[in-house]
Amino acid sequence: MGAGMEAEEGVMATDFFWSYTDEPHASRRREILSKYPQIKELFGPDPWAFLKIALVVSLQLWTATFLHDASWVKLLTVAYFFGSFLNHNLFLAIHELSHNLAFTTPSLNRWLGIFANLPIGVPMSVTFQKYHLEHHRFQGVDGIDMDIPSQAEAHAVRNAISKSVWVVLQLFFYALRPLFLKPKPPGLWEFTNLAVQVGLDASLVCLCGWRSLAYLILSTFVGGGLHPMAGHFISEHYLFSPEQETYSYYGPLNLMAWHVGYHNEHHDFPRIPGTRLHRVKEIAPEYYDNLKSYRSWSQVIYMYIMDQTVGPFSRIKRKAPKKDS
């Protein structure tokens, strides 16, 4: 990392960590491919993606209908300990589909994304792809990478209490941040996503009642907050060590999370599906074994909240490239 803002010892940073070098993944990708060209054989769709998504969508929608007359306590309990894992799994399936890793035809991935979106309750799959691909192409670039917290978030979140609130609500920040900071005009795919989602939500309410829809929304909300699965939001790029920009997680929740924990490997090779990312590490261990990584997403959340030097400013930023006049 180039020169940047460095926090005083024991004090939270008051600005982002500014880097004056390129993000690390493109150069590492070229180097690894020149040394291990066989990694290209791992590129391409996951043939089991559709079946895995269909199973989770079916199970979650059935659960929602089953809970149509459940008490609010039961709804919240089942949502936190069961439904949250399914909906976060589908959110990460949509992440996988944003890289066209279920089918070779992009439009089929979009349709499957809209299908995977159904139990989440709120239309997001098409919009997510637009912003997420920019996160890869322009990692850390100021004003483009919407994965990075806003100045308002970073200035407001300054202690363990406010960080706890931010973590609980981080899914809202994650979803709404780009709409305020870098809005994009919706197109036909966005309206299709909206129409299909509203149709499902309305049908569920008419046939089963509001509590079935509430279960789906609760599963999405709690699964994106103070929840083990949501630890990946923090673990991927928040700086606990200023010299490293991206971190992998090698714990058991990868099985539920489309192996998104292999995050250095994913950014190095976004055309490889999650189920094959472990092979990258096996083929080229010298590029990953010395990088810092995590074994527990819950521990990452705890560290983020309790470490007084870490907060929303703990991200690397880069200046946007100047446009030719």
Side-chain angles (χ1 to χ4, degrees):
M1 187 176 72
M5 295 297 297
E6 294 195 8
E8 298 175 39
E9 187 174 350
V11 178
M12 191 180 296
T14 56
D15 193 6
F16 295 101
F17 291 75
W18 289 91
S19 173
Y20 301 99
T21 61
D22 292 336
E23 55 86 13
H25 301 289
S27 59
R28 187 160 63 215
R29 178 186 313 123
R30 290 190 295 269
E31 191 174 329
I32 292 175
L33 283 176
S34 67
K35 191 173 181 179
Y36 301 106
Q38 66 268 35
I39 282 181
K40 288 185 178 180
E41 298 172 10
L42 302 176
F43 290 8
D46 173 3
W48 296 99
F50 173 79
L51 288 176
K52 289 186 286 188
I53 290 169
L55 176 64
V56 176
V57 169
S58 300
L59 178 58
Q60 182 69 321
L61 292 181
W62 177 85
T63 304
T65 62
F66 180 77
L67 295 171
H68 70 278
D69 59 352
S71 68
W72 287 106
V73 172
K74 184 175 182 179
L75 280 180
L76 183 58
T77 302
V78 177
Y80 189 86
F81 291 102
F82 179 71
S84 55
F85 288 92
L86 298 185
N87 275 13
H88 211 99
N89 172 276
L90 291 171
F91 173 79
L92 293 171
I94 289 168
H95 166 262
E96 192 90 339
L97 295 168
S98 73
H99 293 285
N100 295 320
L101 291 174
F103 303 105
T104 55
T105 305
S107 61
L108 293 179
N109 289 281
R110 287 195 175 186
W111 279 116
L112 185 55
I114 291 171
F115 174 69
N117 197 154
L118 291 176
I120 292 173
V122 179
M124 49 72 64
S125 65
V126 175
T127 303
F128 172 82
Q129 181 183 35
K130 285 186 175 181
Y131 290 104
H132 182 68
L133 295 182
E134 288 185 341
H135 165 61
H136 276 264
R137 286 195 292 264
F138 304 100
Q139 182 174 314
V141 175
D142 188 31
I144 300 179
D145 185 356
M146 291 293 106
D147 191 67
I148 296 176
S150 65
Q151 287 278 350
E153 291 170 67
H155 282 294
V157 178
R158 305 298 298 167
N159 54 49
I161 295 174
S162 56
K163 281 194 283 186
S164 298
V165 173
W166 185 87
V167 168
V168 170
L169 300 176
Q170 67 179 326
L171 200 60
F172 286 107
F173 291 114
Y174 192 85
L176 297 176
R177 185 187 304 136
L179 303 182
F180 284 97
L181 299 182
K182 195 173 184 285
K184 295 177 181 288
L188 180 60
W189 279 106
E190 281 89 349
F191 288 116
T192 302
N193 192 183
L194 174 65
V196 171
Q197 190 64 54
V198 170
L200 181 278
D201 292 351
S203 299
L204 196 62
V205 171
C206 289
L207 295 173
C208 303
W210 283 101
R211 296 198 180 203
S212 291
L213 179 59
Y215 163 74
L216 296 181
I217 300 295
L218 281 171
S219 295
T220 299
F221 173 68
V222 299
L226 204 60
H227 188 280
M229 292 283 282
H232 76 89
F233 287 127
I234 297 170
S235 73
E236 291 166 357
H237 298 291
Y238 281 82
L239 303 182
F240 290 89
S241 299
E243 68 275 9
Q244 186 172 323
E245 186 167 355
T246 304
Y247 300 78
S248 288
Y249 156 84
Y250 300 125
L253 285 178
N254 271 317
L255 293 172
M256 281 289 295
W258 292 80
H259 299 86
V260 75
Y262 286 81
H263 215 65
N264 268 300
E265 295 85 345
H266 169 62
H267 270 266
D268 289 350
F269 298 101
R271 293 171 61 190
I272 296 178
T275 52
R276 298 182 206 139
L277 286 174
H278 70 282
R279 292 283 295 123
V280 174
K281 190 172 185 294
E282 292 169 1
I283 292 170
E286 69 271 27
Y287 289 94
Y288 300 104
D289 285 350
N290 293 327
L291 296 176
K292 293 183 179 180
S293 61
Y294 302 113
R295 292 283 177 179
S296 169
W297 276 332
S298 297
Q299 182 185 26
V300 170
I301 294 174
Y302 177 81
M303 289 162 49
Y304 176 80
I305 292 173
M306 300 307 295
D307 188 334
Q308 61 184 354
T309 67
V310 177
F313 274 131
S314 300
R315 293 290 299 265
I316 287 180
K317 265 195 173 187
R318 297 176 171 84
K319 296 290 186 183
K322 294 181 179 180
K323 295 181 180 179
D324 296 331
S325 55

